[in-house]
Amino acid sequence: MPIVVPCAAAAAHAGGVGATALGLGMGKADLELTQELFKLQMRQAKRLWTADWAENSLRHGEQCLQSAQQHTESQAMAAATYFQAEKLASQAIKLARDQDGRAYEMAWRAEVRESLRDELTNQNNRFNIVMLCDTVCLSCVFSLVADGTPPTDTPQIMLNCYVFCLGFSTLLFTISIWCAVIVVRRLHEHTASTLERKLFAQSEDLQRVWQHQLSENLPTGPDVMHLVNQAYENWVSEYLSPLGNCSIHLLSVGVVAMFITAGLLMHNRYLIEYHASVSVPILFWSMVILTSATVLCMKFSEDRKEKMKLGVYNVSGRDASATDTGPYAKISKAAKELFSDKAVGLSSVERMEFLNKREKAERDLCAKSKSLHQRVGSLIKESERRAKTRKDILNLLTTADEELDSLPEALTSRLNKVLHDVDEADTRTAALVSMHSENMASLESSSNWNQSPQRPDRQMQPMAPYPTDAQRIPVSLEHLRMKLGGVSLTTLLRLRNLSDEPLRLKSGVHLAKGAYVKSLNAMDPHNNSVAYHLYPGTEIPPRTEVAVAARSGGGWVPTSGIEGELVYTNRDDSWVFRIKFVNQLVGNVRICKVQAVPTVEETSHNPNLNDQCWKITRDEIDRKANNEVVVTFDKLEGHEAIKAVSERLRSQLCLKSGYLLKNIAFGLRLQWHKKWFVLTPTELAWSQDMASESTSKIFVKDIISVKLGSDIVKKNIIEIRTRMEGSDTYKLAAESPKECYDWIQKISSEAGLYSEETKLDDVYRSTSKSSDSSVELNGSIECVAGDFGTQVLPI
């Protein structure tokens, strides 16, 4: 029994171990099978996920491509819509600008005609009042003739004086009223539109400005209004003022003579008829003398105010620039914007690039250190102080009155050149210590995105607010005119330099007649007493106006007129500017001629001379005894300079020259004088001989007819007719038929009077085949403006 139990236990244990081993073997096989199944499932899931991802990626790519295509099409459509809208907007802006431009021009034309209408009405009312006063005074005189009988015992000398004063007053009133009638008659021949066209035809300055506005597409501005008023004043001074002033003067003297006549009549009656005491006529004579003196004093006082430009005769409104300031400043600014392309270029790519470059350049220009700025500032101040000290010392040494009178012209020119070189050296010294950035220079060169690339917009300093004299003292023109008005004969030249470089005086310190006003006590712009030095200074600073005044010889009684010439030159002596002014004591001759001449002839091979050109113009403010002229210097650059140079070279081109006989246009026209004629593309000029500087001219654009004429004395006659009113037909005589036809052909060709240029050549060839080589051509050849079918019928 005890042996059986251990065996059973061992057998049971062995069975459990075997079962355990069997279970472990089966579990391992199941685990391996499970692992293989899991791996197969993972591979299958990976394949399915890869397939789904590839399908989804393909679909996403297709969607992206479709979206990109739709976006590209939408962007292209939006760009096309934008460009179309921009084009339509530009067209709408241009159309609106053209319509507004026409309305603007018509408004200016209406303004000009309204101004001329007011002037004509004013002149009519003025001389109607003069005629009314003359009529009333003349009726008073005739009442004295009818009823004013002196007593029978009047002394012979008193009777003679009475009759003389009576007849003299009648004469004065009659001539005065007839002068006023002639003036009113001349005024009634003109309406505002007629006078406007006549002024435009007679004023060369107005035609030049108008042509410049047409060629450059510029708006009509206040300068045109000023030129129209100036042309009207010239027309009034030429055709109305002589008779009008004579009528007023005769009226004033006639009133005095009428009062003296009444005094003589009452004097004789009181003493002879009424046997009054001497005190009674003395009382009446005192009233007569008081009235006559009052009338004469009022007249002379008003004449003096007009000469000194006081009160209502003040012309200070013309001193300031009519474009930048004044009542037309806003409309001028609006007109410039209207006639420019600024509105169209606001959204251009160039503008965006310009803004980006400017922002980058401004960031690059930031200062790295404040000490550098302080050092540069101190150096600049020191340089300016030294330059000012040197200039003051040189002015003290060279502007004494006695030295100006004693130095010859050549030495004065050399002295001014030395002073100019010293000033230039000081300027260069100041520029060397100034800090300039290359980025700023490149910025300025590229900052004109909406300007023409041929002429960049120059950033120039503003004009000086007041004119200066030779010592750079600010001048009050109002007080200066008052002081100069007290002198018998004066000429005030206002030299205005609009360029950015100084102009040096070359000659003109001495006058042929008269003398410069070297010292004149007046008030400055701040109402302080100051002595003005109105002789020509050494230079005209840039963007500054310098006043120069000359007076007649003698004291209160003038003994000579004023005649002189000022010559200036620019920085590099490449241009010479001549200003010749004449103010005669007798003859009412007041002339100011200006001329800008290059010292080196322009050539197409020298671009430095072709890209800049100087212009000098004059504006006569007053053409009376105290003559006042504004002379303006300006430098053109870019395409304007090239255009001006080409026009000047074209005007200097000689197409034909030679001697012709010119008929004298008065009397029986039997006198012929030999003149030297020169034909250029712009004018037909003639003078006494080839070396004479005094010339007369006919502008080619004014010629409306050139034909072969006839005369009872001469043969080979050329008849030229112009569109200028009041001008007669010009008759010229050539030496031979060939010369005659050659002149007619060249003049007609330049004037554009006919289109077939071979007509005259055919005529000359047909006549040259004649057996008689000396045959005279008395046919009817005529070239008329606008008539392109002119017949050429040689005989």
Side-chain angles (χ1 to χ4, degrees), residues 142-170:
F142 279 115
S143 64
L144 288 177
V145 173
D147 300 332
T149 303
T152 56
D153 297 335
T154 302
Q156 187 66 31
I157 186 172
M158 298 295 289
L159 187 61
N160 293 336
C161 292
Y162 173 76
V163 173
F164 173 76
C165 292
L166 189 62
F168 185 62
S169 59
T170 305

Side-chain angles (χ1 to χ4, degrees), residues 324-501:
D324 300 333
T325 59
Y328 298 104
K330 290 184 178 179
I331 193 171
S332 299
K333 182 179 179 181
K336 289 181 180 178
E337 295 179 355
L338 175 64
F339 282 79
S340 65
D341 297 333
K342 187 181 295 183
V344 181
L346 288 178
S347 60
S348 62
V349 179
E350 291 84 358
R351 184 170 182 266
M352 297 297 108
E353 294 179 354
F354 159 73
L355 293 177
N356 294 331
K357 289 182 180 179
R358 183 173 182 180
E359 182 180 2
K360 183 179 179 181
E362 288 178 353
R363 289 180 179 179
D364 295 338
L365 286 176
C366 294
K368 305 300 181 182
S369 175
K370 293 183 179 180
S371 61
L372 180 61
H373 285 281
Q374 294 175 359
R375 185 177 180 183
V376 170
S378 61
L379 289 174
I380 292 175
K381 291 181 180 179
E382 179 66 20
S383 175
E384 291 178 352
R385 186 183 64 81
R386 293 175 61 186
K388 185 177 183 300
T389 303
R390 183 181 299 181
K391 184 179 294 185
D392 293 339
I393 294 174
L394 290 175
N395 285 334
L396 289 175
L397 292 175
T398 57
T399 56
D401 294 345
E402 59 274 6
E403 292 184 4
L404 285 174
D405 292 335
S406 59
L407 291 178
E409 296 289 348
L411 186 56
T412 303
S413 177
R414 292 181 59 188
L415 178 61
N416 291 335
K417 183 174 178 58
V418 171
L419 296 177
H420 180 73
D421 293 339
V422 172
D423 293 339
E424 289 293 323
D426 293 336
T427 304
R428 286 193 296 269
T429 303
L432 287 176
V433 298
S434 300
M435 184 180 66
H436 297 282
S437 175
E438 296 180 357
N439 294 330
M440 181 59 71
S442 62
L443 173 65
E444 291 179 355
S445 62
S446 63
S447 62
N448 300 290
W449 58 272
N450 58 350
Q451 300 288 338
S452 175
Q454 296 180 353
R455 182 180 180 182
D457 190 11
R458 296 174 295 168
Q459 297 295 332
M460 303 178 65
Q461 61 180 354
M463 284 288 295
Y466 299 103
T468 61
D469 64 352
Q471 297 292 337
R472 311 290 175 84
I473 301 175
V475 174
S476 173
L477 290 175
E478 182 177 359
H479 293 91
L480 180 60
R481 293 189 184 105
M482 292 174 58
K483 298 295 290 185
L484 292 178
V487 185
S488 302
L489 207 64
T490 61
T491 294
L492 175 61
L493 298 177
R494 295 165 51 188
L495 309 178
R496 184 177 298 170
N497 184 10
L498 301 182
S499 66
D500 55 353
E501 63 178 86

Side-chain angles (χ1 to χ4, degrees), residues 100-169:
D100 291 341
R102 287 193 294 268
Y104 179 82
E105 293 295 330
M106 293 304 297
W108 266 113
R109 292 291 301 275
E111 180 71 19
V112 170
R113 291 192 178 183
E114 188 67 22
S115 175
L116 292 177
R117 188 176 294 110
D118 292 341
E119 294 289 348
L120 290 175
T121 304
N122 185 20
Q123 293 289 344
N124 270 303
N125 294 335
R126 175 189 179 188
F127 288 103
N128 284 330
I129 292 174
V130 172
M131 284 194 297
L132 178 61
C133 295
D134 282 326
T135 304
V136 173
C137 294
L138 200 59
S139 63
C140 295
V141 172
F142 279 115
S143 64
L144 288 177
V145 173
D147 300 332
T149 303
T152 56
D153 297 335
T154 302
Q156 187 66 31
I157 186 172
M158 298 295 289
L159 187 61
N160 293 336
C161 292
Y162 173 76
V163 173
F164 173 76
C165 292
L166 189 62
F168 185 62
S169 59

Side-chain angles (χ1 to χ4, degrees), residues 708 741 759-760 762-764 766-767 776-781 791-795:
L708 183 65
Y741 278 111
K759 287 183 177 181
L760 292 176
D762 296 340
V763 171
Y764 178 73
S766 64
T767 56
E776 300 294 342
L777 301 176
N778 296 321
S780 176
I781 295 182
Q791 298 292 329
V792 182
L793 302 174
I795 298 177

